[in-house]
Amino acid sequence: MHLRGNLMLLLAAFIWGTTFVAQMVGMDGLGPFTYAAARYILGFLFLVGLWYTWKGPRETAKRAGTYHAGWKAGLGAGCIMFVATSLQQVAMLYTTAGKTAFITALYIILVPLGAVLLGKRIHIENWIGAFLALAGLYFLSIHGEVALSFGDGLVLISAFFWTGHILFIDRFASLVDPIELSTTQVGVCAAGSLVAALLFETIAVQPIFSAWFAIFYGGVMSAGVAFTLQILGQQYAEPGQAAIIMSFEAVFGVLSSWLLLGEQMTIAQIMGCVLMLAGMIITQIRPLLKDRRRMS
């Protein structure tokens, strides 16, 4: 079960990382809220269809008395996610993508701290893995930039909201219907982004059509599939482990930029990838040993 959950989270990180390339292309000619509204609306429609096709298992759970609606939990998760993603989108107007990736991923450290405050036990290997992953992200993203800007401050605030989102999902993922939770949170983000786009941006139809693939990928794959995989994966993974695995979106973002956009990878970035991989492997030692004991 731990392996299944970790693979779901790693796949979610892969989708988020490759979405970064799609977002860079899709934001050309679109405001941040317009792009977010388009992708979240598409993701919401996809999840509504998934919810409808999921009715068989849901009816079975209702008959067994194990069904718990995910709509209310989804409202809470959606509000947190909307604030986090909005701060991150606006911040990218004032800071670099590399610094955004690094500061956002401070949730690697903030999540286990928050989990401890909520009464959860975090093992020593999770702390070691977190610091290795954070060091890896530094080499992967920062490139010697240490001055902080207004945008960096916004990203730092968003990191606290992403931390809250991960801990919120950890609390409810195994208790409620995951598809309903995911559908509601994406619907909240779609509604909030649309209102923000109408208030602060000029919405034009042609740029939206021109960015159709970036919107499709960011909507269906990132908002629809990846956030659902996060909810399903966090049913089996501890919050500290989940944070490290999901931070691999930075690695996949750099690799996809190298493969698809022709950007060069430096020695420092390669070392950063190795450090992040080492951090993730260390956090998996205890679950793997437990699974091996159960099988023996």
Side-chain angles (χ1 to χ4, degrees):
M1 287 298 186
H2 278 99
L3 179 60
R4 180 188 300 176
N6 290 344
L7 288 175
M8 288 179 179
L9 293 172
L10 194 61
L11 180 56
F14 171 79
I15 295 172
W16 288 327
T18 51
T19 300
F20 179 72
V21 175
Q23 186 174 351
M24 289 180 65
V25 176
M27 288 277 285
D28 186 20
L30 288 178
F33 289 118
T34 301
Y35 174 77
R39 65 179 284 212
Y40 282 128
I41 289 172
L42 192 59
F44 175 71
L45 294 175
F46 168 80
L47 286 167
V48 168
L50 184 62
W51 175 83
Y52 182 77
T53 59
W54 201 264
K55 62 181 180 180
R58 190 165 52 250
E59 291 301 321
T60 301
K62 286 181 179 179
R63 287 192 295 270
T66 58
Y67 166 80
H68 300 282
W71 307 117
K72 289 183 179 179
L75 285 173
C79 290
I80 299 170
M81 192 169 93
F82 171 68
V83 175
T85 191
S86 297
L87 286 168
Q88 192 180 59
Q89 291 269 16
V90 174
M92 290 187 70
L93 298 174
Y94 304 98
T95 187
T96 64
K99 290 170 78 174
T100 300
F102 176 73
I103 297 172
T104 299
L106 287 175
Y107 64 68
I108 296 175
I109 299 296
L110 296 174
V111 165
L113 284 174
V116 169
L117 292 175
L118 293 175
K120 292 207 168 193
R121 182 184 177 188
I122 301 297
H123 301 292
I124 184 63
E125 66 270 16
N126 289 333
W127 290 111
I128 296 172
F131 281 105
L132 281 174
L134 195 63
L137 271 167
Y138 177 84
F139 287 111
L140 196 65
S141 306
I142 292 295
H143 309 307
E145 299 175 81
V146 293
L148 295 179
S149 66
F150 170 72
D152 298 330
L154 293 180
V155 180
L156 181 59
I157 297 171
S158 80
F160 282 93
F161 280 93
W162 284 122
T163 299
H165 184 260
I166 293 172
L167 293 173
F168 190 94
I169 295 298
D170 177 69
R171 171 69 176 82
F172 289 100
S174 60
L175 302 178
V176 301
D177 185 297
I179 305 301
E180 292 178 352
L181 196 164
S182 186
T183 301
T184 310
Q185 75 168 1
V186 171
V188 170
C189 288
S193 298
L194 180 59
V195 170
L198 291 170
L199 289 175
F200 302 113
E201 297 171 359
T202 301
I203 301 177
V205 176
Q206 185 55 46
I208 294 176
F209 279 117
S210 299
W212 71 269
F213 181 76
I215 292 171
F216 170 81
Y217 194 84
V220 173
M221 296 304 296
S222 178
V225 176
F227 279 109
T228 303
L229 285 171
Q230 177 197 355
I231 294 168
L232 294 171
Q234 282 197 244
Q235 293 179 353
Y236 309 109
E238 296 177 358
Q241 294 174 338
I244 293 174
I245 295 171
M246 288 188 290
S247 72
F248 259 68
E249 66 175 295
V251 174
F252 292 125
V254 170
L255 291 176
S256 60
S257 297
W258 171 54
L259 291 172
L260 300 176
L261 300 180
E263 296 183 2
Q264 298 297 314
M265 285 190 69
T266 65
I267 297 298
Q269 287 179 311
I270 295 172
M271 185 167 67
C273 292
V274 172
L275 283 170
M276 289 193 68
L277 182 61
M280 186 176 71
I281 291 173
I282 286 175
T283 64
Q284 302 308 309
I285 292 175
R286 189 183 297 267
L288 287 174
L289 290 176
K290 285 183 178 178
D291 291 342
R292 182 171 295 181
R293 291 194 195 103
R294 292 193 191 103
M295 295 173 64
S296 60

